[in-house]
Structures are given as C-alpha cells and as structure tokens.
Amino acid sequence: MKIISSIDELRDQLRGQLRTAFVPTMGNLHEGHLSLMRLARKHGDPVVASIFVNRLQFGPNEDFDKYPRTFQADIDKLEKEGVYVLFAPTERDMYPEPQEYRVQPPNTLGNILEGEFRPGFFTGVTTIVLKLFSCVQPRVAVFGKKDYQQLMIVRNMSKQFALPTEIIAAETWRADDGLALSSRNGYLSAEERAEAPQLYRLLNEVADEVRSGHLDMFELERTAMARLAGRGWKPDYIAIRKRSDLQPPTGGDLANNEPLVVVAAAKLGTTRLIDNLEI
C-alpha cells in the first residue's frame, strides 16, 4: 500500500485510472470502515482510502483535538484489506491557504436534524468531500448509512454538481448487541457501553409501532425521547422522516406508504451517539 500526503503525488499515482473506488475516513478505523473498503472493491479498482480529521466540520466546543488518532493501527488494517493507496494529507496539504470557498447545502436539508444541533457541520463535510473528490477523482465513493443525513447530502451534492462519481451506500455495521460501530464509541465507559444498545432497540420499537399502523408521528417521537431521557440520556432528537428528503411525512405520505426512516442523536454521558433505522 502506498501512503501519500501530497495532492500532486496522489494525482500522479492515480493518473489513467478510470475505475477508482474511494472511501474517505477520519481514521481510528474499525470493522465498519473495513466493510466499506470491501464494498468499494466490489464496485471498482483500485481502492483508495483517505484519513483526514477535517477541522472544518467540528464546532468550537466539539472534540477535534481529542478525536482519536490511531494512524499506525489504521495502516495495518488497510494493508490487510488490500487498499492500493492511503491518502493521508496534513492540514497544510489540504488547506495550504484558508479555505474561504465553501459548499453550502440547502437549508431544507443542511440545517435540520444534525445541522440544527451542529451548525456548520454539513458545510464542512461537503467542502472536504468535494475537495477529496477533486484530488482522487473516483468513479465510485462509498459512504455508510449510519450517517444517514450526510449520505443524502453528499449524494445530492454529487448529482447537482454533475460529478462523475457514483455514491454507494453501505449498510450500518453493528456490534452483536446492535450498537452501531463508531469511532466515538471508544469514549464510552464500561457502564455506558452496556447501556448504549438501548438506542437501537428504541429505534426498532418506534419502527414496529409505525409498521403496526400507529400514525401519530409526534407522539411516537415524544414518547421515545422521554424514554431515553428516563434512562439518563440527553436526546437531541428522535425523528420519523421521509427517506427521500428527511422532511416530516404528511398524512398523504403515510396513506401512500412513503418509505420512512427514524433517525436519532443523543448523548450518553459525554458521548454523542447517532443512529437510524429505515422503516
């Protein structure tokens, strides 16, 4: 595996490749990330991964400085997966001058749910993803469904800018007890780790209620939030939304069996967990 930090060197290395499959990450890789590498290989060759902790998508009171960085362990894992190139730029490589040009998602998608609780987050995400796509120029790129809103925003961005990159969605990788794998799970204490799967169990219960014909979405959301809070969580949102645009479903949508997803974000101790479940 070649480890490259320079954009020019990366472009030289990939020149002439027409089927590159790309998996962008922030490192601290776990089995969920590695499953993305395997899916990428099914859709293209060579497989390129990136590791870059992107300052632009962290708010002033978020965990940029303490975000886990495990570079050598990440290298070992990627080599075992047969990744061809690891693009690991420094901040100086990616932002040799202040990144004054930014990609702004539409407010109707970028300022709701995660965007409401993490202002500017999706601007940081779309800006770095567009820049990484410019560097790698992949035919396909793989993103996980765990970050459901992010996946939708990146897919829409790629479509609206007519980028020659197909966005592939990968199913959420879960531990045996249902907890969605995340780099931030490492922040959980042993007691919190035992409690964490309750979030996914609650999403399943909400989904079951919807499938059984319970159509008062607001009541389901409010009850689920109260249940989490009663267990010591601090929920930001539990929301039942349309898969197509993450807007609340209307009565007509429900009557027409519009595909739905329930999305959630909540703090357990000091660790903020997100998850979702398609209905």
Side-chain angles (χ1 to χ4, degrees):
M1 182 176 72
K2 300 180 186 302
I3 303 173
I4 296 173
S5 62
S6 159
I7 294 174
D8 287 341
E9 185 181 347
L10 177 73
R11 286 174 172 161
D12 286 342
Q13 184 66 44
L14 295 177
R15 184 165 287 116
Q17 299 285 1
L18 301 179
R19 299 185 62 250
T20 300
F22 178 46
V23 184
T25 83
M26 293 205 301
N28 192 223
L29 304 183
H30 49 65
E31 189 60 30
H33 293 111
L34 302 183
S35 72
L36 303 184
M37 308 298 164
R38 295 171 203 139
L39 182 59
R41 182 166 300 286
K42 294 180 179 179
H43 289 273
D45 183 62
V47 174
V48 176
S50 67
I51 293 177
F52 182 67
V53 184
N54 177 38
R55 188 185 296 271
L56 294 186
Q57 67 195 65
F58 286 80
N61 298 314
E62 295 185 334
D63 57 352
F64 175 80
D65 289 325
K66 70 172 185 175
Y67 192 85
R69 293 161 170 85
T70 55
F71 192 61
Q72 187 55 54
D74 294 343
I75 290 172
D76 295 341
K77 291 173 182 175
L78 293 175
E79 285 182 331
K80 290 178 181 176
E81 293 299 331
V83 170
Y84 176 61
V85 168
L86 168 60
F87 180 45
T90 65
E91 285 197 287
R92 185 181 293 273
D93 290 312
M94 287 305 292
Y95 303 127
E97 58 187 55
Q99 186 69 37
E100 295 171 338
Y101 287 84
R102 307 285 180 98
V103 180
Q104 179 66 50
N107 291 340
T108 52
L109 186 56
N111 288 353
I112 63 173
L113 302 171
E114 283 297 282
E116 177 183 349
F117 288 92
R118 302 183 67 187
F121 170 66
F122 287 121
T123 296
V125 168
T126 49
T127 299
I128 189 60
V129 169
L130 184 61
K131 196 161 190 177
L132 286 168
F133 282 3
S134 176
C135 297
V136 178
Q137 299 184 27
R139 189 185 71 80
V140 300
V142 179
F143 289 80
K145 281 188 179 182
K146 185 180 80 71
D147 299 287
Y148 203 89
Q149 189 173 3
Q150 173 180 281
L151 168 65
M152 179 176 290
I153 286 175
V154 168
R155 179 174 275 159
N156 289 355
M157 178 190 74
S158 187
K159 178 181 177 182
Q160 288 202 6
F161 280 116
L163 302 179
T165 301
E166 178 186 358
I167 306 302
I168 305 294
E171 296 298 329
T172 301
W173 195 275
R174 299 184 181 277
D176 291 341
D177 58 9
L179 178 64
L181 296 196
S182 168
S183 297
R184 289 186 171 91
N185 291 353
Y187 298 155
L188 297 169
S189 68
E191 183 179 88
E192 290 165 347
R193 176 60 185 82
E195 169 66 20
Q198 288 294 334
L199 182 61
Y200 184 54
R201 292 173 196 151
L202 186 62
L203 294 184
N204 275 279
E205 291 175 12
V206 171
D208 287 343
E209 286 286 335
V210 174
R211 294 187 191 107
S212 68
H214 192 142
L215 299 182
D216 189 335
M217 303 292 113
F218 179 74
E219 180 189 356
L220 287 175
E221 294 168 354
R222 182 181 56 191
T223 300
M225 297 250 306
R227 288 183 57 189
L228 263 192
R231 299 185 66 93
W233 295 65
K234 296 178 181 177
D236 284 341
Y237 59 83
I238 296 176
I240 302 162
R241 298 296 172 96
K242 294 186 290 183
R243 293 187 208 175
S244 60
D245 57 11
L246 291 184
Q247 295 300 309
T250 65
D253 293 327
L254 297 175
N256 292 323
N257 294 315
E258 175 78 22
L260 304 175
V261 60
V262 54
V263 293
K267 273 191 174 180
L268 183 56
T270 60
T271 305
R272 188 172 183 273
L273 303 178
I274 66 170
D275 205 347
N276 65 81
L277 182 65
E278 292 181 331
I279 302 175

